[in-house]
Amino acid sequence: MVQRAGGNIQRAVGLFFARQQMSSRLSGYAWEFNLVQDKAKNAWCMPGGKVCVYTGILPMTRDESGLAVVMGHEIAHAVANHSSERMSQQLLVQMGGAALSTSMARSPQQTQNLFYELFGVGSQVGLLLPYSRVQESEADRLGLIFMAMAGYDPRVALGFWQRMAASQQGQAPSEFLSTHPSDVTRINNLKVYIPE
C-alpha cells in the first residue's frame, strides 16, 4: 500500500511540476517508498525523494486514502524545498548571533547574557517557529493537491487530522510555541484548501 500510494503521488507530483513548467526541479529525485516497523505516529520524506512511513501511523490513516494524506504532506515538504529553507533560516539566525556577539563584546557579561537570551527567544518565536508553521500549512495544501491529482479524495484529510489531534490530547504545545499549526488551525485551513 505504501509503494502504491507513493507511486501514485510521485506521478501526480511529476504532472503538477510539468504543468508549472518546473520539471527540472525534480531532477535528481530517486523516489523510494519504505515502511518501517515502529510505533511512532510519523512519516518523513528526504529532499531526494526517500519516503519513510512508520507502522505506528497506519491506524490513524485507516486506508490508502488516509495514507495518501500523510505521504502527500511529507512529499510536499521535500518538493517545496522546506529543508533547504530551514537551513537558510538557521544560517541567518547564526549570523545574527555572531553579529550580536561582536557588537556586545565590550559590554558587561550580565548585559551580554540578557541580550543573548532575548535574541535566542526572539529569533525562535519571532522567526523560526512562525516560518515553520507556514511551511506546514504549505505542505498540507500541496499534499491535498497531489493526493487529489493521484485520484484520492482529499476530504479524508479532515478525518485523518482529527484522529491525530484526538490521539495527542493535551500533549501539543501552544501554537505560538510550536513548529506546527494548532489542530484547530490546521483543520480550518484544510476546509479552505479542499475545494481547491
Side-chain angles (χ1 to χ4, degrees):
M1 186 169 66
V2 168
Q3 294 280 325
R4 187 172 51 247
N8 291 339
I9 293 172
Q10 173 191 348
R11 285 185 289 283
V13 167
L15 179 59
F16 178 86
F17 276 80
R19 286 180 179 170
Q20 308 297 318
Q21 298 180 353
M22 296 171 27
S23 294
S24 62
R25 287 189 53 188
L26 298 176
S27 69
Y29 274 75
W31 294 100
E32 187 178 316
F33 307 102
N34 300 289
L35 180 65
V36 173
Q37 184 72 32
D38 191 297
K39 292 179 182 178
K41 295 175 191 159
N42 203 3
W44 46 264
C45 179
M46 294 177 70
K50 183 174 184 172
V51 180
C52 201
V53 176
Y54 296 161
T55 54
I57 203 165
L58 295 179
M60 298 287 114
T61 64
R62 292 193 176 161
D63 58 22
E64 191 170 330
S65 292
L67 180 61
V69 173
V70 173
M71 294 181 78
H73 174 91
E74 296 304 332
I75 289 169
H77 276 304
V79 299
N81 293 318
H82 287 166
S83 61
S84 296
E85 291 174 2
R86 285 186 198 122
M87 287 191 316
S88 296
Q89 291 282 326
Q90 290 288 344
L91 184 59
L92 284 172
V93 168
Q94 288 176 357
M95 289 171 42
L100 179 63
S101 179
T102 300
S103 69
M104 298 292 299
R106 293 194 172 138
S107 298
Q109 189 63 47
Q110 191 172 11
T111 302
Q112 287 181 32
N113 291 345
L114 175 65
F115 274 90
Y116 295 148
E117 190 170 324
L118 289 173
F119 175 78
V121 170
S123 61
Q124 186 72 14
V125 174
L127 176 68
L128 298 175
L129 292 177
Y131 196 72
S132 185
R133 290 190 297 270
V134 167
Q135 289 177 331
E136 284 297 317
S137 294
E138 181 181 34
D140 284 344
R141 182 181 158 270
L142 288 172
L144 290 176
I145 291 169
F146 298 154
M147 71 178 287
M149 289 178 71
Y152 299 102
D153 183 353
R155 293 173 295 188
V156 303
L158 290 172
F160 168 76
W161 287 111
Q162 288 165 343
R163 288 188 296 278
M164 283 294 286
S167 76
Q168 300 171 355
Q169 285 181 325
Q171 297 175 3
S174 163
E175 182 173 32
F176 182 70
L177 298 174
S178 177
T179 58
H180 288 65
S182 70
D183 296 326
V184 171
T185 298
R186 171 173 263 151
I187 289 166
N188 286 337
N189 287 346
L190 289 172
K191 289 175 182 176
V192 172
Y193 303 152
I194 286 171
E196 180 185 359

